[in-house]
C-alpha cells in the first residue's frame, strides 16, 4: 500500500507491506426499510444528485475488502493471498429520518 503526498514529487511512499488492494463498496437502501436491498456499489456508481438512484442519501453501510499476502509470499502467488471483509453500519446516514 502506498500514498502520495500532495504538492511533492510523484513518487509514492510505501505505508504498509503486503497489501494488494483496499476496496470500499457502499450498501444502498432503495426501499427506505433500513436494509441494503438496493445492492452494493463502487464510489463512481453513486450519484451526489438526490433525484438519481443510487445516491449518497441511500447509503446505509460500507463494505471494506482488504487483500493481503503473507510476508514471504511473492506478488505473483495469488493462491497465497488473504481476503478480509467486514461491513460497517453507518449509525447516522445522511437524509435518514
Amino acid at each position: 500500500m502506498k500514498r502520495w503526498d500532495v504538492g511533492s514529487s510523484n513518487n509514492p511512499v510505501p505505508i504498509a507491506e503486503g497489501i494488494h488492494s483496499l476496496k470500499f463498496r457502499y450498501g444502498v437502501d432503495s426501499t427506505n426499510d433500513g436494509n441494503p436491498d438496493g445492492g452494493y456499489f463502487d464510489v463512481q456508481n453513486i450519484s451526489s444528485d438526490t433525484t438519481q438512484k443510487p445516491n449518497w442519501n441511500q447509503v446505509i453501510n460500507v463494505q471494506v475488502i482488504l487483500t493481503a499476502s503473507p510476508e514471504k509470499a511473492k506478488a505473483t502467488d495469488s493462491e497465497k493471498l488473504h481476503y478480509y471483509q467486514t461491513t460497517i453500519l453507518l449509525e447516522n446516514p445522511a437524509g435518514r429520518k
Side-chain angles (χ1 to χ4, degrees):
M1 180 175 280
K2 298 179 181 183
R3 69 174 168 82
W4 280 262
D5 285 329
V6 176
S8 68
S9 67
N10 287 331
N11 296 326
V13 178
I15 58 172
E17 298 271 336
I19 304 299
H20 289 262
S21 70
L22 177 64
K23 290 179 77 174
F24 299 94
R25 300 199 47 171
Y26 300 91
V28 170
D29 178 6
S30 61
T31 59
N32 217 16
D33 64 357
N35 293 310
D37 43 26
Y40 285 87
F41 297 88
D42 294 327
V43 68
Q44 67 269 20
N45 295 320
I46 305 224
S47 177
S48 57
D49 180 351
T50 57
T51 63
Q52 300 292 315
K53 298 200 187 290
N55 64 64
W56 286 108
N57 283 349
Q58 296 177 302
V59 172
I60 61 167
N61 63 22
V62 180
Q63 278 184 343
V64 181
I65 304 125
L66 177 76
T67 307
S69 63
E71 275 185 43
K72 299 184 185 211
K74 297 176 184 167
T76 57
D77 291 343
S78 62
E79 68 276 358
K80 294 183 180 181
L81 292 178
H82 296 264
Y83 298 89
Y84 303 95
Q85 177 178 321
T86 192
T87 301
I88 302 165
L89 177 66
L90 301 176
E91 291 293 330
N92 190 16
R96 290 278 174 217
K97 310 256 184 301

